[in-house]
Amino acid sequence: MTTTTSSLFFFVSNFVILGMVKKMATTKYDEKSIKILEGLEAVRKRPGMYIGSTDRRGLHHLIWEIVDNAIDECINGYGDYIKISLNTDGSVTVEDHGRGVPIGMHESGMSTPEVIYTILHAGGKFEEGGYKVSGGLHGVGASVVNALSTEMDVTIYKEGQINTIQFRDGGHVFQKLMKIGTTNKTGTTVRFKPDPTIFKSTNFSFTTVTERMQESAFLLSGLTIEVVDEETKRNVKYRYENGLISFVEYINEGKNVLHKVISFDGIKQGIEVEIALQYQEGYNENILSFVNNVKTGDGGSHETGFKTGITKAFNEYAKANGILKGKDASFDGSDVREGLSAVINLKIPEAQLQFEGQTKGKLGTPEARVVTEQITYENMKFFLEENRETALMIVEKASRSKIAREAARKAREAARNDKGREKKDKILSGKLAKATGKDSQKNELFLVEGDSAGGSAKTGRNRETQAILPLRGKVLNCEKASDSDIHNNEELNTLTYAIGAGIGADFRPEDSNYGKVIIMTDADDDGAHIQILLLTFFYRFMRPLIEAGMLYIAKPPLYGLDFGKFKEYVATDEELEEKKRTVKQAYKVQRFKGLGEMNADELYETTMNPATRSLIKVSITDAAVAEKRVTVLMGDKVEPRKEWIEENVDFTLEDNFKR
Ligand code: 28F
C-alpha cells in the first residue's frame, strides 16, 4: 500500500492486466508475460518513483521492503524470528518462520508466488483493513525488489514441501515454482541481488541494517531479529520483551536518569497510543515517534499532541503545588522537555492515515494530535499526582530551565548594546581571517586544525569567499558541558561569535555569516578526534546548522604523486593501489601526514578550491542514531567509543560530492 498517486495508477493498470488475462482465456502465456515484463520494466526505467532514490537509501529500501513482508507475517501471529544475511556475493537473504507464501495456482494460470513477485502490488499485503500499512514509500511490494535485482530466489517451506521459484535480470522467470524437497518447517526465504546498473552503489551497510532492525525489535516485543554480515562474520540478535520501555532505557543508557521509565497507553477514536518516557540529567530533548511501526522522522500531529499534553500536565501540577506562582508564570514547552527522552508509537487505521512532507515522514492525521494530547495529559497528570518525589524532581528541573532561559534572554538583550562586543571583535580579529565578499550565502568558514595549517590556508585561500579560523589544540568535549561552560570556553566562544548566528535554543542558521562551515583537519587519528569533538559541539549547540546542510568536512588527500612535470593527488589507500596498478609512468609517492605538509597552493588546489575539492556533507539521518552515537562517543565509557571510531569514523556523513 502506498500513498503516491503514481503507484495507485500502477495498481489499477495491473488489476486490469489480470482481469484481461482471465477474460481472454486463449491469450498466450507469452502475451501475458510481456505485459508483466512491461510493468517490471517501468520500475526499472523510473526506480525513484517506487523506492524514492537509487542511492544508499534506495538500495536499503529493498531490504526494508522484503523485511516488512516478513514482519507483517509475524504481526499476524505467525513466526517470531527473522534473519537477514548480507552475503559475500552482494546478495541479501531474508528468512522468516511464518506460514510460507501460498504455493497454489492463481486464477491467472500462474503460481501464487509468481504473481506476488512479478506483478506490481499483488504481493505481500494481507488481510483487508486493520492496521496493516506503512507510511511514506513503504510497501511498494516484493515485485519492485525483483524488478531491480539481477537475481531473486524465493524458497517456501509449507505443507511438508520445499518449493522454489527463481527470477533473473529484473524479474524474468528463470525457474518456475518447483518442489525441491520435503520439510517439517514453515516459512519464506527470499534472496535477492540488487542490479548494479540501477544502483549507484550495491554495498549494503551492516550498521544501517542493524540500527533499523533494532528499532523494529523494540517496537515488536518478543520478535527476534538476527542480522549477519557474512563478509566480516559480524552477527547481532535483537529481542526485547518490554517494547518501548526497553527502547527508552536503551536511548538513556549511560546517562544519569531521574526516575524509572514512565509508560502508558490508551485508545480513542480507533487510534491506539503507546508512550514511554524518562528524564535524564542532561539538557537534550529526544523524542522519537512511529506510526504503525514505521518511523515518522519528521514528527507530525502525534508529536505535537504529546508535547502539548505534557506541557499542560506539568504546568497544572506546578501551579496546583505552588511552584509556579502568579497568573502569567508558566513553563515553556522547551522547559518541560529538557532532558526528556520519549518514544511514541501510534496505531492508526489505514483510512485515517495522512502523511506530509517530501519523504512522507511527517504524520498529518489531525485526530492523532487530539488523541495523543488527551492520553498524554490524563496519564501524566495521574502519574504526577501519584509520584510526588519524581514529580518534584522533574518540575525542579523545568524551573531551572525556565530561569536559565529568562537569564539568557536578558543577557542577549544586554549584549545587543554591549561594550563586550568590542572585546570579542578584538579577540576575533587576531584569529579569524575574514572573507572580503559580503554575500554570506557564498562565504565559507574553514575551521582549521593548528596554526601552521591555518597559516597555509590563509595564504592559499580565495580571499573573497573563504574565511579561516585556526583552532588550537583539542576542542572542549561538549557532551557534558552546559551553556555556560560553552560561553566560558574561549575557543568555542570565538567560533560561535565568528558564525554569528547565536547558540543553543537561540541559534538561527539564517543569521549565519557563512553558507558553509567546513571542518578541515589532518587525515589522522588526532584529526578524526577533533572532527568528532567539533561535530559534538555542532550537534549539541547548533543542530539547525547541520539540519540546514551547512556543515561540511574537508577531505585532504592522503598522497601526492609527483610525476616531475605535474602532480596528482589521491584520497585513499584504495585509490593509491589502483594508481599503482594502472599508471605506467614513473612517479614519486609522497604521503601527507598533515595539512601542514602541503604548501599553500597545494592545500588550496587539493582541499579548498570548490572546483577540485571533495567535501563531505554532515547529515543527521536519524535523530536517535545520532544521539546514541554522540553519547557513546563523547560519554564516559571508553570501550564503546573505541569500537565505534574504528567502525564509523564518518559520523553520519553521507554524500561525498564535489562542488
Ligand atoms: C522473507 C520475506 O515475504 N513472508 C511472507 C507470507 C504468508 C502469506 C502470504 C506472505 C495471500 C494472497 C497475497 C500464508 N498463508 N518474507 C515474506 N509470508 N504472504 S509473505 O500471503 C500472501 C497473500 O495474496 C500467507 C496464508 N495467508 C497468507
Side-chain angles (χ1 to χ4, degrees), residues 44 202 221 227 249 297 334 349 415 438 451 465 501 505 531 536 600 608:
R44 294 174 60 79
T202 47
S221 297
V227 187
E249 283 170 352
S334 65
K438 292 286 167 251
D451 279 335
T465 56
Q531 280 178 19
T536 307
M608 297 171 70

Side-chain angles (χ1 to χ4, degrees), residues 5 141 152 203 329 358 626:
T5 358
M152 176 137 146
N203 285 332
Q358 260 223 309

Side-chain angles (χ1 to χ4, degrees), residues 617-636:
K617 189 185 210 162
V618 179
S619 67
I620 307 172
T621 43
D622 179 322
V625 169
E627 173 65 30
K628 190 76 191 174
R629 284 179 181 173
V630 171
T631 310
V632 167
L633 277 174
M634 308 320 298
D636 301 328

Side-chain angles (χ1 to χ4, degrees), residues 329-359:
S330 62
F331 294 132
D332 257 22
S334 65
D335 297 331
V336 301
R337 294 198 300 272
E338 239 190 47
L340 172 65
S341 303
V343 181
I344 305 169
N345 189 23
L346 262 68
K347 304 259 166 65
I348 305 181
E350 202 173 322
Q352 290 181 61
L353 272 182
Q354 261 172 256
F355 290 99
E356 295 170 353
Q358 260 223 309
T359 50

Side-chain angles (χ1 to χ4, degrees), residues 65-71 73 76 78 82-83 93-96 98-102 106 112 116-117 122-127 142 158 187-190:
E65 201 57 61
I66 300 299
V67 168
D68 280 353
N69 291 335
I71 288 181
E73 184 67 358
N76 286 334
Y78 304 97
I82 295 171
K83 180 176 174 184
T93 306
V94 183
E95 168 187 340
D96 72 38
R99 291 167 294 180
V101 171
H106 188 261
T112 304
I116 288 179
Y117 292 97
K125 297 308 151 203
F126 315 34
E127 286 90 315
K158 195 178 176 73
T188 306
T189 300
V190 174

Side-chain angles (χ1 to χ4, degrees), residues 67-120:
V67 168
D68 280 353
N69 291 335
I71 288 181
D72 285 344
E73 184 67 358
C74 294
I75 290 176
N76 286 334
Y78 304 97
D80 63 357
Y81 174 81
I82 295 171
K83 180 176 174 184
I84 299 157
S85 310
L86 307 180
N87 305 316
T88 50
D89 66 353
S91 69
V92 180
T93 306
V94 183
E95 168 187 340
D96 72 38
H97 293 175
R99 291 167 294 180
V101 171
I103 49 177
M105 286 311 254
H106 188 261
E107 53 186 11
S108 61
M110 294 187 279
S111 66
T112 304
E114 188 172 336
V115 171
I116 288 179
Y117 292 97
T118 62
I119 296 187
L120 299 177

